[in-house]
Structure formats: structure tokens, C-alpha cells
Amino acid sequence: DEGANDGWLAEWKSRCGMLGRTVQLKCGTREIVGLVVDVDPLQGLVVRDESGAMQFLSAQRTTVIPEARSQEP
């Protein structure tokens, strides 16, 4: 049933804290900054990069680069 498939997918996506956020990623040798617009179980993260192009980034090859934290004196 396709409706049941939509339910688990929506639940899975609701748990993704990166959706709708701008993140810095490393995929292979490339570094990408962009807005996470979707997450796909087969294609990985779907990111709109700074130039507006859509990037499909495999979870196997992609790493989130943590934001630099400011240090207090």
C-alpha cells in the first residue's frame, strides 16, 4: 500500500534535524554549503548549494562539518 509507505517516510523525515537548515558538508574532496531541502532514502541528502544548484549527496560519502564554536576569553 503506497499510503503506508508515505507514512513511514514522513515519520523518518520528521526525525531529520537538518531539514530546512543551512549546513556545511564534505562529500569526497568537495566542501558544500547549502540548505538541506530533502532527505531521500535512496539518494541521500538533497541540498540547494550557494549557487542555487541542487546537489544529491550520498550518505556513504558525505560528512557534516561541525560549526566552529566561538570561544569566550
Side-chain angles (χ1 to χ4, degrees):
D1 180 279
E2 197 162 317
N5 287 339
D6 291 344
W8 76 262
L9 185 57
E11 177 66 25
W12 182 68
K13 287 181 179 187
S14 75
R15 296 172 186 250
C16 179
M18 289 188 288
L19 276 173
R21 297 183 67 186
T22 299
V23 294
Q24 183 174 359
L25 306 162
K26 184 168 185 169
C27 184
T29 59
R30 298 184 308 150
E31 286 193 15
I32 300 160
V33 175
L35 178 70
V36 179
V37 295
D38 200 5
V39 59
D40 184 281
L42 300 177
Q43 294 182 329
L45 288 177
V46 182
V47 176
R48 181 179 300 117
D49 69 20
E50 293 176 311
S51 71
M54 298 299 271
Q55 304 283 333
F56 297 88
L57 306 173
S58 164
Q60 295 173 337
R61 300 186 59 222
T62 304
T63 302
V64 176
I65 300 172
E67 293 181 38
R69 293 199 168 100
S70 61
Q71 296 186 4
E72 295 184 27

